[in-house]
């Protein structure tokens, strides 16, 4: 049932100041890297590129990839390796205009889907959780090319909703206004004005 498209590795790396990851050339999976906030670098064929917030790369199998941060910046990113009978078709679908790196708007729904996928993969004591996570992965990938969340609130309402989700994710911390604004990709003064309204 799950052979068409499945996740082989997944992770969310939040505000990692010294994050680095290597994907060897003999990797048999497709790779998706989405920068949520901040910026970092990736290296392909010994050539270094910068990946900024709200941009993603999708790579074919057998691609040598290095990811990391410099000391001056941190970034939050989603990292997924995937495969399956339609893996190549999905890879080609994600390649907009045959460009390896693309922009995508920040979507609260995308973040929620990713958390849901990770949650069910963490509960892998049964086949149903594994299948659910991989079925949900179809929808998650669709958010990178289509405006499937157009029904969601726009502008200020969307920023408030995003901040509420961020605060829920960081209940164990005492987030300052500046930290919350940085995670939501807005200025602290603008965010303060929105909450006062």
């Amino acid at each position: 049932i799950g052979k068409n498209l499945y996740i082989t590795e997944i992770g969310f790396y939040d505000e990692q100041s010294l994050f680095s990851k290597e994907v060897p050339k003999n990797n048999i999976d497709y790779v998706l890297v989405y920068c949520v906030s901040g910026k970092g670098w990736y290296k392909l064929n010994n050539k270094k590129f910068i990946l900024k917030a709200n941009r993603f790369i999708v790579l074919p199998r057998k691609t040598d990839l290095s990811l990391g941060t410099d000391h001056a910046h941190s970034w939050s990113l989603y990292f997924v390796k995937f495969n399956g009978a339609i893996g190549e078709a999905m890879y080609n679908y994600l390649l907009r205009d045959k460009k390896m790196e693309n922009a995508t708007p920040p979507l609260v729904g995308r973040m929620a889907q990713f958390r849901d996928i990770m949650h069910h993969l963490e509960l892998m004591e049964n086949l149903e959780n594994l299948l659910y996570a991989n079925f949900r992965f179809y929808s998650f990938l669709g958010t990178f090319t289509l405006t499937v969340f157009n029904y969601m609130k726009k502008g200020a309402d969307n920023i408030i909703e995003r901040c509420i989700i961020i605060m829920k994710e960081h209940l164990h911390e005492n987030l300052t206004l500046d930290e919350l604004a940085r995670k939501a990709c807005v200025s602290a003064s603008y965010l303060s004005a929105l909450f006062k309204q």
Side-chain angles (χ1 to χ4, degrees):
I1 294 172
K3 70 180 180 180
N4 283 333
L5 187 69
Y6 53 86
I7 298 164
T8 59
E9 183 180 341
I10 190 168
F12 175 63
Y13 303 95
D14 188 24
E15 303 291 330
Q16 299 291 320
S17 57
L18 296 175
F19 168 80
S20 66
K21 187 162 190 66
E22 303 281 332
V23 177
K25 186 151 181 80
N26 62 356
N27 168 54
I28 61 168
D29 300 313
Y30 301 91
V31 176
L32 172 74
V33 180
Y34 169 50
C35 181
V36 180
S37 64
K39 67 179 179 179
W41 58 263
Y42 64 98
K43 193 182 288 186
L44 297 170
N45 302 321
N46 292 320
K47 189 171 180 185
K48 197 172 185 179
F49 304 91
I50 299 298
L51 189 63
K52 297 180 180 176
N54 303 314
R55 299 192 70 78
F56 71 94
I57 56 172
V58 59
L59 303 172
R61 300 185 299 174
K62 301 195 182 288
T63 301
D64 187 19
L65 168 70
S66 300
L67 296 169
T69 54
D70 57 41
H71 296 290
H73 300 95
S74 62
W75 62 347
S76 297
L77 63 95
Y78 299 151
F79 177 89
V80 185
K81 288 168 63 177
F82 64 94
N83 216 321
I86 65 164
E88 184 174 355
M90 187 60 77
Y91 161 75
N92 288 322
Y93 174 72
L94 291 169
L95 278 180
R96 290 189 202 156
D97 304 319
K98 302 298 177 197
K99 292 191 310 188
M100 180 185 62
E101 183 179 320
N102 292 282
T104 186
L107 300 171
V108 174
R110 181 185 300 133
M111 296 161 61
Q113 284 191 38
F114 192 86
R115 283 192 309 275
D116 191 38
I117 290 167
M118 286 194 65
H119 172 71
H120 281 83
L121 287 175
E122 289 166 356
L123 300 173
M124 277 187 21
E125 72 271 357
N126 61 45
L127 181 61
E128 288 76 19
N129 282 317
L130 182 61
L131 288 173
Y132 173 85
N134 285 300
F135 294 159
R136 189 95 156 122
F137 188 52
Y138 280 88
S139 176
F140 171 76
L141 290 177
T143 68
F144 288 92
T145 57
L146 301 175
T147 55
V148 295
F149 287 100
N150 278 347
Y151 66 87
M152 295 189 73
K153 297 174 182 175
K154 304 281 187 197
D157 288 339
N158 194 9
I159 292 168
I160 297 296
E161 186 176 347
R162 190 171 357 142
C163 287
I164 291 168
I165 288 172
I166 290 167
M167 288 186 287
K168 285 180 180 178
E169 289 174 343
H170 297 273
L171 286 175
H172 59 285
E173 301 172 31
N174 291 322
L175 282 179
T176 66
L177 176 63
D178 288 336
E179 290 168 338
L180 181 59
R182 185 171 35 81
K183 288 179 184 296
C185 303
V186 295
S187 73
S189 58
Y190 178 64
L191 187 58
S192 178
L194 283 180
F195 270 92
K196 283 178 183 171
Q197 287 176 8

